[in-house]
Amino acid sequence: MDDPILDCLIVGGGPAGLTAAIYLARFHLDILVVDGGKSRAASIPCTRNHAGYPEGIEGKELLRRMREQACKYGAKIETEFVTKLEHDAKDGLFTATWGSGCAVAQTVLLATGVSNRRPPMDEELHDDALARGLVRYCPICDGYEVTDKRVGVIGSDSHGVAEALFIRSYTADVTLIAPDKAMRLGGGDHEKLRQAGIECVDGPAHAVAITGNCIVVDTAEGHYTFDSIYPALGSDTHVQLAEMVGADLSKEDCIKVDSHQRTSVPGLYAAGDVVIGLDQISHAMGEGGVAATTIRNDLGERRPLWREPAHDAEEVEAGA
Ligand SMILES: Cc1cc2nc3c(=O)[nH]c(=O)nc-3n(C[C@H](O)[C@H](O)[C@H](O)COP(=O)(O)OP(=O)(O)OC[C@H]3O[C@@H](n4cnc5c(N)ncnc54)[C@H](O)[C@@H]3O)c2cc1C
């Protein structure tokens, strides 16, 4: 492995990782982004709450622009999935491994995000419904779009109840459906739902078809037709690499960081949905910017980050 040691390896090329890449590349640091290509942002048909885009922007296009911006300043991006991360406590270096290669880095930023748990439904139907706004995952993001529409929420625990109550401020027509069996609700939840006029339906729930601009859900109480459904089944946080190097996790299974995005492992940082907080593009970008600036300043404590005088730099480039 003769490649030079990177200043920073960024794992994850969603809004958090790419924002950090833009900052770090513009700090004249040697960085690499390794991205598995499954950003949640890529599944957004059109985000309308991201500031600066009054007409909205497709998630894939936003990511494309961010990648272009990072590469313009020298960031390198590889589409790979990092399977192993090691940390040598003696020299402080990290070694990351993926299918076709590996890299050694002084610092690592984990911006690996989360995955939403999907409702039971055919994968093709799911992707089609997601693209058409018939399946939605984030009422903070797109609750506005279901204003006065018929909405089904699939979930039964406190998360499902909270989501149904949240969506009730957009529409009077909300139905909460248990995902797998009869509805099980905690004390007080029945009353909250009753007061909000939210109907409760027993599962198992299974989204079965798209008809026109609607989605049909099969339940224990028959077929229900909605303009949109929101699965509220929780998410899985991608913390495996953090665990491999012994970083502390929070009780919510997210990577613990300080206010500068440092984890409990020196030289390891985390940003975006993988850290506890608001799971939004703006937040992921903000944390990416904070992490990058902290990484730059922490590297500066280890060695001067001074730039060569311009003529010396030219000589070096010319091989003098
Ligand atoms: C349907 C939907 C609609 C949404 N709408 C909005 C919206 O309108 N507005 C808004 O603000 N937010 C929205 N969100 C939320 C937003 O997408 C996320 O908050 C945001 O993408 C988080 O950015 P991130 O960089 O932390 O993670 P992600 O964007 O999820 O990126 C993480 C990246 O890390 C990669 N990765 C993970 N593990 C590894 C590994 N071991 N090796 C290499 N790569 C790895 C993944 O493949 C992925 O590419 C929406 C989410 C969904 C699902």
Side-chain angles (χ1 to χ4, degrees):
M1 199 189 323
D2 296 329
D3 288 338
I5 295 170
L6 296 166
D7 290 316
C8 184
L9 172 74
I10 300 172
V11 187
L18 290 174
T19 300
I22 293 164
Y23 277 53
L24 288 165
R26 287 176 52 81
F27 291 147
H28 290 300
L29 295 172
D30 186 16
I31 63 158
L32 171 67
V33 180
V34 181
D35 178 40
K38 296 241 157 50
S39 167
R40 287 209 306 146
S43 62
I44 309 175
C46 180
T47 170
R48 291 187 170 84
N49 73 344
H50 186 53
Y53 297 93
E55 304 308 321
I57 182 167
E58 189 189 356
K60 283 195 180 86
E61 173 60 11
L62 181 65
L63 292 171
R64 190 198 64 71
R65 292 184 190 197
M66 293 181 75
R67 277 196 297 270
E68 183 184 320
Q69 192 175 353
C71 292
K72 176 176 172 180
Y73 296 107
K76 290 175 249 71
I77 303 177
E78 290 200 25
T79 307
E80 292 282 356
F81 189 83
V82 176
T83 49
K84 191 159 132 197
L85 185 64
E86 295 162 292
H87 178 230
D88 186 332
K90 277 198 203 125
D91 59 17
L93 294 178
F94 294 87
T95 304
T97 310
W98 54 91
S100 63
C102 60
V104 178
Q106 296 193 46
T107 62
V108 171
L109 172 63
L110 296 177
T112 43
V114 306
S115 299
N116 293 105
R117 290 188 201 133
R118 292 179 172 200
M121 63 192 285
D122 174 76
E123 197 162 325
E124 215 174 297
L125 177 69
H126 174 273
D127 294 351
D128 189 16
L130 187 67
R132 295 168 61 171
L134 300 173
V135 171
R136 299 176 180 271
Y137 280 93
C138 173
I140 292 176
C141 312
D142 51 25
Y144 187 90
E145 273 63 51
V146 298
T147 299
D148 296 332
K149 300 265 171 80
R150 288 167 302 171
V151 175
V153 176
I154 299 179
S156 61
D157 54 6
S158 56
H159 181 47
V161 173
E163 191 124 321
L165 290 169
F166 186 88
I167 292 167
R168 181 63 182 79
S169 64
Y170 295 100
T171 172
D173 195 338
V174 182
T175 306
L176 179 63
I177 309 170
D180 41 15
K181 43 190 143 184
M183 185 70 73
R184 285 160 292 136
L185 296 175
D189 283 343
H190 266 298
E191 185 51 22
K192 280 189 207 156
L193 293 168
R194 194 194 61 74
Q195 280 179 10
I198 294 173
E199 187 186 351
C200 293
V201 173
D202 286 338
H206 195 189
V208 285
I210 294 173
T211 52
N213 287 328
C214 300
I215 184 152
V216 179
V217 180
D218 187 25
T219 77
E221 301 176 31
H223 280 66
Y224 281 72
T225 301
F226 299 106
D227 295 305
S228 286
I229 55 170
Y230 281 87
L233 304 170
S235 54
D236 297 304
T237 317
H238 304 146
V239 293
Q240 295 82 356
L241 299 176
E243 285 179 308
M244 285 180 199
V245 293
D248 290 345
L249 303 184
S250 70
K251 63 178 177 359
E252 299 85 1
D253 219 22
C254 294
I255 303 176
K256 261 192 188 170
V257 293
D258 69 8
S259 58
H260 297 271
Q261 308 303 134
R262 295 184 189 97
T263 72
S264 60
V265 176
L268 184 73
Y269 306 77
D273 286 358
V274 77
V275 170
I276 193 81
L278 184 68
D279 287 355
Q280 289 282 279
I281 296 169
S282 57
H283 200 240
M285 288 179 168
E287 289 192 345
V290 172
T293 308
T294 308
I295 290 166
R296 185 244 169 254
N297 290 341
D298 288 353
L299 284 171
E301 293 286 318
R302 295 189 201 173
R303 66 168 210 271
L305 296 177
W306 299 324
R307 191 151 178 85
E308 299 291 330
H311 62 276
D312 288 357
E314 277 165 24
E315 280 169 18
V316 170
E317 249 173 45

